[in-house]
Amino acid sequence: MRVEGSLASGRELSSERSTERQRRSESMATRVRTLFETCREVFADGQAGNVPSPEDVDRLRFVLDDMNGLDVGLAENMPFFRNIESGGTPRITYLHLYDCDNFSIGIFCFPPSGVIPLHNHPGMTVFSKLLFGSMHIKSYDWVDIPQDSNDAINFAQLQPPARLAKVKTDAIFTAPCETSILYPADGGNMHRFSARTSCAVLDVLGPPYSDSDGRPCTYYNDFPFATFPGAAVVAPGEDEDYAWLEEREKPDDFIVVGARYRGPRIVEG
């Protein structure tokens, strides 16, 4: 009798686990579908430089803020997040979820010490959600015309081989945290991601990169403000808030490899 009871209990436990897996699978699919549908509405315009309304930005931010790695079928013990390189900068893995002319959705998978070098997002609004892990983000916006007294800058006649930018973000982010958002002209349009632990970043770009449409990805070196003395003068004590950015070729040690996305599929309909 005790054996039969044990078998019955085992069957019940198996059934409960199966039901829980089914519920989790349905929840994952719902979150990814909601993300896709919200992106499709928010980026319906599809024009470079056109920023979604504040209401639409908040809608998409709300969807992303509630997501984590499990929602897209990711766990930290997956091979993407292990550093298999014997030396140098670890390669990054990209998982493609969806793209069209108006927007793209993808996930960057970082092993510890993985780096996406400083680069720009021409004419784009970009939402970046750290799904798990910890990373350092440094971002800049261009300095063109002083907009307030705190940004008073005097440019000299000297023209350095670089362009002045202001630091927007220089901080460590650890999941769970709010979604980072950048815009065509502010919010930290040029940024660098440096993984402190294994981590995953879900990226939504609207519109995506396109060389043919004039939206190539440009990489930069950044230099301290004092590198070009006399090129510009900022208020005392604000030197650390600025840097000079110089265009460069894509770094040779920056390698991104594609892998199959195995989370809930996006089905247009």
Side-chain angles (χ1 to χ4, degrees):
M1 295 293 294
R2 279 179 290 183
V3 173
E4 291 176 356
S6 297
L7 290 174
S9 297
R11 286 194 295 269
E12 291 173 359
L13 181 59
S14 177
S15 177
E16 290 174 0
R17 289 176 175 171
S18 177
T19 300
E20 180 60 30
R21 284 195 297 269
Q22 179 65 24
R23 288 174 179 169
R24 180 61 192 170
S25 177
E26 291 174 355
S27 175
M28 291 165 58
T30 298
R31 288 175 186 265
V32 172
R33 184 170 61 251
T34 300
L35 171 62
F36 167 68
E37 292 174 350
T38 304
C39 287
R40 186 162 58 178
E41 295 170 1
V42 167
F43 294 110
D45 179 271
Q47 297 298 312
N50 287 359
V51 177
S53 69
E55 293 77 16
D56 280 341
V57 168
D58 285 343
R59 285 175 58 208
L60 185 48
R61 186 209 317 264
F62 178 79
V63 172
L64 287 164
D65 278 349
D66 200 36
M67 296 185 70
N68 59 47
L70 295 177
D71 294 321
V72 289
L74 291 180
E76 294 183 57
N77 61 356
M78 289 180 167
F80 314 133
F81 306 106
R82 292 199 294 267
N83 187 355
I84 60 174
E85 308 295 330
S86 58
T89 304
R91 63 182 59 193
I92 311 297
T93 300
Y94 180 75
L95 309 179
H96 170 78
L97 276 71
Y98 180 84
D99 74 271
C100 63
D101 290 342
N102 291 2
F103 67 93
S104 65
I105 305 173
I107 302 170
F108 288 97
C109 303
F110 295 74
S113 301
V115 175
I116 294 182
L118 187 62
H119 63 285
N120 71 343
H121 306 82
M124 304 179 192
T125 301
V126 179
F127 295 73
S128 298
K129 169 60 178 176
L130 183 62
L131 298 173
F132 60 78
S134 179
M135 70 164 33
H136 178 258
I137 299 177
K138 189 163 190 179
S139 66
Y140 300 91
D141 289 313
W142 294 123
V143 173
D144 289 314
I145 300 173
Q147 298 181 355
D148 56 59
S149 58
N150 292 329
D151 285 345
I153 301 171
N154 295 318
F155 286 95
Q157 295 298 318
L158 173 66
Q159 294 295 319
R163 184 174 172 186
L164 189 63
K166 186 171 185 179
V167 177
K168 175 65 177 181
T169 303
D170 187 3
I172 294 170
F173 293 79
T174 301
C177 56
E178 294 183 352
T179 302
S180 298
I181 307 171
L182 63 83
Y183 303 95
D186 57 23
N189 187 274
M190 289 79 67
H191 66 199
R192 174 172 55 240
F193 287 170
S194 304
R196 293 169 55 86
T197 67
S198 58
C199 54
V201 177
L202 174 58
D203 253 6
V204 175
L205 280 62
Y209 289 107
S210 172
D211 290 351
S212 60
D213 291 328
R215 294 190 305 278
C217 182
T218 303
Y219 296 89
Y220 300 91
N221 287 317
D222 53 345
F223 303 97
F225 178 77
T227 302
F228 303 105
V233 178
V234 298
E238 293 189 0
D239 290 25
E240 296 297 319
D241 295 335
Y242 296 89
W244 298 97
L245 305 191
E246 182 180 42
E247 290 189 20
R248 60 168 298 177
E249 295 295 324
K250 177 183 175 182
D252 292 337
D253 60 354
F254 175 47
I255 300 174
V256 179
V257 296
R260 182 180 177 187
Y261 167 66
R262 297 183 180 276
R265 311 305 297 177
I266 291 177
V267 180
E268 295 187 72

